[in-house]
Amino acid sequence: MAVGEVAVEPQEHIHPPPTGFVSKYIISFDHKVIAVQYFITSGLFFVLAGLLAELMRAQLSGPHNNVLSPTTYNEAFTVHGSAMVWLVTIPILTGAFGNLVMPLQIGARDVAFPWLNMFSFWLFPPAGILLFGSFLVGAPQAGWTEYPPVSLMTPGTAMWSAAIFLIGVSSTITGINFLVTVIKMRAPGMTWTRMPLFVWATVVTAFLSAIATANLSAALAGLFIAQIFHIPFFDPARGGSPVLWQHVFWFYSHPAVYIMILPAFGIISEVIPTFVRRPIFGYKAIAYSSVGIGLISFMVWAHHMFTSGLAQWVQLPFMILTMAVAIPTGIKIFSWVTTLWRGRIRLTSPLLFVMGFLSTFTFGGVTGVFLASVPVDIHEHATYFVVAHLHYVLFGGSMFGIFAGLYYWWPKMTGRLLDERLGKWHFWLMFIAFNATFLPMHWIGLLGMPRRVATYFAQFDPELLRTISATNLFITISAFVLGASMLIFAYNALRSARGGERAGSNPWGARTLEWMTTSPPPYYNFAEIPIVLSGPYEYGKPLPYANIKQDPDAVPLH
Amino acid sequence: MATHALHVDDALYEEVRGHRLLGFLLFLISDSILFMSFIFGYLYNRAAAPVWPPPGLERPDVFLAAVNSIVLFGSGVTMHFAMESMRHENRKRFVGFVLATIVLGLMFLGGQVIEYTTLIRHDVTWNGTTFGASFFTLTGMHGFHVFIGVIFLITVLIQTLKGVYTTQRHFGLTAATLYWHFVDVIWVALFSLFYVY
Amino acid sequence: MDIHLIEKILAFIGALVVGFFAVKSLIAEWPKINLEDHVTKVMMVLLTIGCIIVLLVAVNVWGRV
């Protein structure tokens, strides 16, 4: 056996393997196959939504361009945002990473409800088709937040509502599935405080998905019937209120942004100990702070509504609670940095993306505290300062975290290694281009550049307009470089899939359970369900599993 | 697809049953959140209205709704008795109580139809004022849930007659009962919000 | 006879009957300890509250007429 290999023999009374192409790859009940399905589908929507962004940037490269008509520009930013949130980030972090990693990390053979898992996935492609299909009838134009009455003026809003509703159902089912799996199916001996931190992140995320998403479904149904049947919930002329939409929408959508970041936090917590070969600092702090973030996330939604006419006495608690959420988040950053401090760091691609995450996400978190302050937000709401903030946390945070996880678990998922050199090129190009794209947006936002406008010649006097235009041109060029950096990853992935170097069970020398079986794992995951004796990050001690045969001192391949 | 109730050993059955129970309860919780969002919307619009109900509107008949409510609550009790009969191996009584539950559920839906037609005849419509919008949306959603519940009950009745369940292993019945109670409890809230408060 | 009076009588009697059986079931279920039994108990309590509300409506104490 090669270094780090495990012996895996098939066991009795496990269901027989699926046979035939359809059962193995299309209608699969195997969480690992479903994860790959999510990765591929999300990847496709990432490319489409990214292309929309590049079109938007082309339009904004000058103050009065004609690349896109104003209507098409509105459609572009609406579908870009909606797709990135609901067709890319949430499905990848929950459906792909959650499915791929969590059952293995708890020593289970699959999730609690494999049929529902398959069903959850298959709701996803139709939802995406509905969303992008709305371009054919006139896509929604009011941004991913779709505030009425503007949202009710475009025909595509009904399709948008239906699409996101489907994703919501998928997300709720996945949340319930993951909650039951982690609560009930952990390997013997795996107490809550012996769970890997990615599993903690997945549990809190699953709780948010299961509870908050139903609220979104209600909002979407309300918008749908408002458009199709003229139901007056949001129409002030008939007793309704547009602010009602904002409340109901944001009550879900704020927890949603934590659905989009908590699994990424979990990925960071997995990657750092592996490449520093040290126990993570503050395991309980990181675990409980995830729970704290999940709970607080339900209490801050109105910070998106500071300019909607809310009474001041309402705004104040939201401001304070929003600032407060920086505390559990800061606890994590502190713990991660402390884990790395004076450690023997192996600077592999996954860890590079972690470093990228730590800098960009923290930066985004800081601008979030700025925006949490009502007086600041009143000036910066709907400017590019917000666009900069949200991309620093969602791209700098979630996307860098996603790539860290992809580089880390690619060998486990495919059985092959990605090329390290290409990984480093990808990272540096992406990191530099990302900052070049989004850092200047803070500045032009503070100067008054509004969001969601196709042209900006009318906003500024000539001299300031020259500065703003030049900055926008710089941003556009950087955005194209950022898009191009993804091609490096695509090439790396294809090359690896077609015959990259084979990975053993544990190429990184990590200690969580997914690395204690082959790469990729057999359909039944483990020959014997492991018995867990201790925590997962105690490097230097013997492996904490009673029945796994792997040499813990084996030198990792990379 | 499902683990057939009879073909696995006790330990495995109990384990899987535990998963299904937790999953089903989480589903009911998320369904409550769905209703709570619409209830929030109703209360928000109501609080923002200068006068409630909007002037000139016909009031729904509280007393008819009260009778209808008792019909539904009664069906909750008959369903509970059905479960007890199953646990005490009384197949005949079980079938009788489930049929009673289904009949009462359908009577409730009939009562709602009468209520809706009366209101519409008096110009209280779904797309008129926010009163009609909230009333018809919330009670309509609830009625839809009752309808699904009736189908659920018919299904478990058929499964019982086919001998799928035993006195020890009948998770489908437990789930149907919990779902039916859930629908009942939501109605307590809606009756209070639209007819009492 | 006024339809409302018939409805009120039906509601009143129904609330008493259904409420009685709900409370009786609740007492019988009380010692059980499984998760679904706890949920059933909560549901029975809420159902009883529902019956009380209907009772109060039937005697004109509550309810918008």
Side-chain angles (χ1 to χ4, degrees):
Chain A
M1 275 194 302
V3 148
E5 275 295 318
V6 271
V8 171
E9 305 110 24
Q11 221 193 355
E12 308 152 31
H13 74 259
I14 295 172
H15 64 83
T19 50
F21 185 79
V22 171
S23 304
K24 280 204 278 192
Y25 304 116
I26 311 289
I27 310 292
S28 170
F29 303 124
D30 184 336
H31 67 100
K32 305 178 288 297
V33 174
I34 293 173
V36 171
Q37 292 175 321
Y38 270 103
F39 273 121
I40 294 173
T41 314
S42 301
L44 170 68
F45 288 122
F46 178 63
V47 170
L48 290 175
L51 286 172
L52 284 174
E54 305 293 15
L55 277 173
M56 287 156 60
R57 283 314 320 171
Q59 169 62 20
L60 291 173
S61 59
H64 201 168
N65 284 356
N66 264 320
V67 174
L68 299 175
S69 72
T71 303
T72 313
Y73 183 82
N74 294 349
E75 295 177 334
F77 69 69
T78 302
V79 178
H80 164 81
S82 306
M84 283 298 190
V85 169
W86 284 302
L87 301 179
V88 179
T89 314
I90 291 183
I92 288 190
L93 287 170
T94 56
F97 280 110
N99 260 314
L100 178 68
V101 176
M102 179 272 286
L104 288 166
Q105 283 195 334
I106 63 171
R109 295 203 184 284
D110 208 306
V111 294
F113 307 116
W115 189 93
L116 282 176
N117 206 10
M118 178 276 296
F119 180 72
S120 275
F121 170 72
W122 279 107
L123 288 173
F124 179 23
I129 291 170
L130 258 179
L131 180 63
F132 279 91
S134 69
F135 276 113
L136 297 172
V137 302
Q141 291 187 45
W144 80 284
T145 54
E146 285 284 84
Y147 285 7
V150 176
S151 57
L152 295 173
M153 298 174 184
T154 50
T157 297
M159 279 175 83
W160 175 89
S161 303
I164 309 306
F165 188 89
L166 282 178
I167 290 286
V169 174
S170 167
S171 202
T172 307
I173 295 176
T174 299
I176 293 175
N177 214 343
F178 285 1
L179 272 174
V180 178
T181 307
V182 177
I183 291 173
K184 295 273 191 183
M185 292 173 69
R186 280 167 287 131
M190 187 178 280
T191 58
W192 283 89
T193 48
R194 287 178 186 171
M195 283 189 338
L197 288 167
F198 180 76
V199 181
W200 272 101
T202 299
V203 166
V204 180
T205 305
F207 176 78
L208 295 178
S209 300
I211 301 301
T213 314
N215 180 76
L216 177 72
S217 304
L220 294 169
L223 195 68
F224 185 88
I225 61 180
Q227 179 161 65
I228 304 285
F229 300 110
H230 309 293
I231 309 306
F233 289 125
F234 312 120
D235 180 1
R238 292 183 290 156
S241 168
V243 179
L244 173 60
W245 163 264
Q246 294 181 27
H247 276 299
V248 187
F249 175 83
W250 284 115
F251 190 73
Y252 159 79
S253 295
H254 193 82
V257 314
Y258 291 100
I259 293 174
M260 292 192 278
I261 199 64
L262 280 169
F265 287 165
I267 294 173
I268 303 303
S269 298
E270 293 301 326
V271 174
I272 289 183
T274 303
F275 295 107
V276 142
R277 275 190 95 72
R278 259 176 166 185
I280 195 152
F281 180 87
Y283 170 94
K284 280 193 181 159
I286 297 180
Y288 298 156
S289 64
S290 304
V291 177
I293 289 173
L295 291 172
I296 299 179
S297 76
F298 280 104
M299 302 191 255
V300 300
W301 78 92
H303 67 229
H304 301 274
M305 297 166 61
F306 283 154
T307 59
S308 297
L310 300 174
Q312 267 194 352
W313 64 267
V314 171
Q315 293 177 336
L316 189 59
F318 282 110
M319 170 172 134
I320 295 174
L321 283 164
T322 306
M323 290 180 172
V325 82
I327 298 174
T329 313
I331 286 173
K332 290 178 188 291
I333 307 275
F334 179 78
S335 301
W336 291 324
V337 170
T338 310
T339 310
L340 289 165
W341 191 261
R342 297 205 181 189
R344 285 190 55 202
I345 296 176
R346 285 184 291 150
L347 209 54
T348 54
S349 322
L351 197 68
L352 271 173
F353 279 95
V354 165
M355 302 293 204
F357 168 98
L358 285 172
S359 54
T360 53
F361 176 78
T362 307
F363 197 88
V366 168
T367 56
V369 180
F370 285 21
L371 289 167
S373 163
V374 174
V376 174
D377 186 71
I378 288 177
H379 286 271
E380 301 316 321
H381 179 80
T383 66
Y384 263 77
F385 191 86
V386 180
V387 177
H389 161 71
L390 75 92
H391 284 94
Y392 264 84
V393 288
L394 286 176
F395 195 122
S398 307
M399 212 31 83
F400 273 84
I402 287 169
F403 279 112
L406 262 174
Y407 278 90
Y408 186 58
W409 281 304
W410 182 271
K412 179 54 54 181
M413 183 166 61
T414 62
R416 297 184 182 276
L417 297 169
L418 283 169
D419 183 271
E420 261 300 298
R421 254 192 33 185
L422 285 174
K424 292 188 159 105
W425 271 97
H426 173 206
F427 169 74
W428 284 109
L429 196 58
M430 180 166 136
F431 183 74
I432 293 170
F434 168 81
N435 281 293
T437 306
F438 294 105
L439 197 59
M441 287 187 187
H442 294 96
W443 187 47
I444 56 174
L446 288 171
L447 287 173
M449 167 112 186
R451 284 175 87 162
R452 299 177 173 168
V453 291
T455 58
Y456 46 94
F457 64 93
Q459 253 84 22
F460 305 100
D461 67 51
E463 197 173 306
L464 189 52
L465 185 62
R466 253 176 284 142
T467 314
I468 304 264
S469 306
T471 313
N472 265 310
L473 179 59
F474 175 78
I475 292 174
T476 297
I477 296 170
S478 309
F480 275 90
V481 175
L482 183 60
S485 74
M486 303 301 165
L487 294 170
I488 301 179
F489 174 76
Y491 173 67
N492 199 352
L494 275 165
R495 209 161 146 264
S496 161
R498 275 157 162 248
E501 192 183 340
R502 286 214 179 266
S505 316
N506 196 354
W508 311 120
R511 293 171 66 99
T512 42
L513 277 169
E514 75 271 30
W515 304 107
M516 304 293 136
T517 181
T518 57
S519 301
Y523 70 92
Y524 48 83
N525 290 351
F526 301 97
E528 284 173 43
I529 298 297
I531 298 170
V532 178
L533 305 169
S534 183
Y537 307 113
E538 293 165 23
Y539 287 92
K541 298 194 182 149
L543 277 182
Y545 311 119
N547 50 351
I548 301 281
K549 301 161 198 50
Q550 189 175 91
D551 181 0
D553 295 319
V555 175
L557 284 172
H558 289 266
Chain B
M1 153 182 117
T3 333
H4 198 277
L6 302 170
H7 292 169
V8 295
D9 65 23
D10 278 347
L12 183 57
Y13 178 81
E14 281 309 311
E15 194 187 322
V16 173
R17 184 186 188 279
H19 299 176
R20 290 185 175 173
L21 179 64
L22 182 58
F24 195 74
L25 289 174
L26 287 169
F27 158 69
L28 290 181
I29 292 175
S30 87
D31 216 0
S32 327
I33 303 282
L34 187 71
F35 278 97
M36 280 196 246
S37 300
F38 277 111
I39 290 173
F40 172 79
Y42 161 61
L43 291 172
Y44 185 94
N45 278 332
R46 180 169 165 164
V51 57
W52 192 270
L57 278 187
E58 175 82 4
R59 303 287 305 138
D61 181 353
V62 174
F63 302 112
L64 175 66
V67 174
N68 222 15
S69 304
I70 289 301
V71 166
L72 192 64
F73 299 157
S75 74
V77 170
T78 53
M79 193 60 201
H80 178 75
F81 286 158
M83 278 299 285
E84 284 298 296
S85 308
M86 173 55 93
R87 282 196 216 124
H88 292 125
E89 302 194 50
N90 197 328
R91 186 60 69 87
K92 271 217 178 75
R93 270 194 164 192
F94 168 79
V95 171
F97 277 123
V98 173
L99 279 173
T101 310
I102 292 172
V103 166
L104 288 170
L106 288 172
M107 277 173 63
F108 173 83
L109 287 174
Q112 288 294 76
V113 169
I114 295 175
E115 176 76 292
Y116 283 12
T117 46
T118 310
L119 282 170
I120 290 171
R121 239 186 305 123
H122 287 112
D123 277 330
V124 181
T125 53
W126 193 25
N127 59 355
T129 61
T130 51
F131 175 80
S134 308
F135 179 84
F136 283 106
T137 303
L138 270 162
T139 58
M141 260 174 56
H142 175 262
F144 176 70
H145 277 74
V146 173
F147 177 69
I148 296 293
V150 169
I151 295 180
F152 200 166
L153 290 174
I154 293 174
T155 309
V156 300
L157 183 60
I158 294 174
Q159 296 283 75
T160 308
L161 294 172
K162 276 166 46 175
V164 167
Y165 304 123
T166 69
T167 43
Q168 309 305 322
R169 299 185 175 191
H170 48 253
F171 180 70
L173 291 175
T174 308
T177 310
L178 287 171
Y179 180 83
W180 196 257
H181 287 324
F182 165 76
V183 154
D184 240 339
V185 164
I186 296 285
W187 183 252
V188 175
L190 293 186
F191 180 73
S192 307
L193 284 167
F194 283 111
Y195 293 94
V196 178
Y197 167 52
Chain C
M1 241 188 169
D2 179 25
I3 180 90
H4 280 182
L5 186 59
I6 299 174
E7 289 168 349
K8 280 158 82 163
I9 292 172
L10 276 173
F12 185 83
I13 295 173
L16 287 175
V17 171
V18 174
F20 168 75
F21 283 112
V23 172
K24 193 157 167 283
S25 307
L26 181 64
I27 293 171
E29 293 284 302
W30 197 260
K32 295 191 187 163
I33 52 160
N34 289 322
L35 181 58
E36 69 256 41
D37 297 316
H38 289 312
V39 174
T40 305
K41 284 183 249 177
V42 170
M43 303 284 202
M44 282 292 144
V45 168
L46 293 169
L47 215 120
T48 310
I49 291 174
C51 291
I52 294 173
I53 294 174
V54 169
L55 202 72
L56 290 171
V57 167
V59 297
N60 281 338
V61 170
W62 274 359
R64 305 174 135 263
V65 187

